[in-house]
Each structure stands twice: as C-alpha cells, then as structure tokens.
Amino acid sequence: MYFSSGRIKNWDSMVKSCSVLLRTAHAFDAKVVATEQYPKALGATIPDLAALVAAGKGGKVYPKTQFSMTIPEVMEDIKDSDDIVLMGIEAHVCILQTTRELLAAGRRVYLPLDAVSAGDVQDRSVAVQVMRDMGANLTTTESLMFEMIGSKDHELFKAMSNLAKEPRDRLPCL
C-alpha cells in the first residue's frame, strides 16, 4: 500500500478505512508494511497513516519505483505471511500489479474495497473486476474485521465493534 493525496476519488473515506484497517492490524499484532511510489516526485505517505504504519508490527515504509509493491525488501518482510490485505492507491496500477504477483506467489489477497481507490472511477472498477477474476478476495473493512474475530466471544470483539462504528462514507464496490 502507499498513500499520497491529490486527485484520488473518495480520498477522505478511503483514508478513514485505511486508518481503521491499520488499527485493526495493531489489535491483532499483524505485520504492517507500506510502500510509496517514487516519493521524491509523488510525495510520501500522509502523516496520520504514516504514524499508524510506524506504530505497527514491522512498521516499515519502503520507497519504490516499480508499480508492484513486491520489491525484495517487502517480500522478505512478508515471507511468513500467507494472507495479505492490500489497501491504498492506485487500484488499476500498483494494487492490481501487486495482487497479480502475490497471487502468483501463492498468497491469499484480500481487497477491502472501501480502502482501495484510484483517480478514475472506471479504472478502479475495471481493476477490481480483474483482481476478482484473478482470485483476490473482495471484501470491505468492516466485513474483514468481523471475519477475523469470527464471533462476539472473541477477546477483540469490543475493540472491533468500536472501530466499526467510526463514521466512514462507503465507496462503491465495483
């Protein structure tokens, strides 16, 4: 994932969903790795999300120039991770190419669609359909959170319920 501001559709809503997902990762002590597409020209991860990444297990942000986030440093960091949740921008470039490479490497990829966007609605929509056809698991932030806990009896149920109640606009699924 990587984050920069600008022309991205539904930016504020996407950032809120990414924030909820990062805090969910913290609650589960899950590894967090971020990438930034050519930050020298495109800008760095926005401060609020950068702080959440840094506070997480692993908590690294890697600059990159290739579109996929599957750079050697990231692949080393996630070598023991079979389930990967992708979020950020742009759906039809970095997220799509990362999804393709992770699936080819045998990983299960989850795409919370309210945390994935692009500058163009059609580009995002087509990319989501392509990623679904490749075998990515389409979901939403809230659905993923509750799938992770499984029942109200899970020790993190209350924390996940509180995160789920945070106001977020919903992005179109496809």
Side-chain angles (χ1 to χ4, degrees), residues 19-110:
S19 173
V20 168
L21 284 167
L22 289 168
R23 288 179 283 145
T24 298
H26 294 175
F28 281 90
D29 199 32
K31 183 169 278 194
V32 175
V33 178
T35 61
E36 298 171 333
Q37 181 65 31
Y38 194 47
K40 184 166 63 171
L42 298 176
T45 303
I46 61 171
D48 290 350
L49 295 179
L52 287 171
V53 169
K57 181 179 180 181
K60 296 179 185 169
V61 178
Y62 295 105
K64 64 182 180 70
T65 54
Q66 73 180 39
F67 296 126
S68 172
M69 72 171 278
T70 59
I71 60 176
E73 300 89 344
V74 169
M75 295 309 288
E76 177 63 25
D77 275 355
I78 66 169
K79 68 182 177 191
D80 297 325
S81 302
D82 294 326
D83 296 305
I84 309 294
V85 177
L86 295 179
M87 62 186 97
I89 56 174
E90 292 225 10
H92 63 296
V93 183
C94 298
I95 301 292
L96 175 62
Q97 291 184 28
T98 301
T99 297
R100 179 180 291 119
E101 292 181 16
L102 289 172
L103 289 169
R107 300 314 204 306
R108 287 180 297 273
V109 175
Y110 296 86

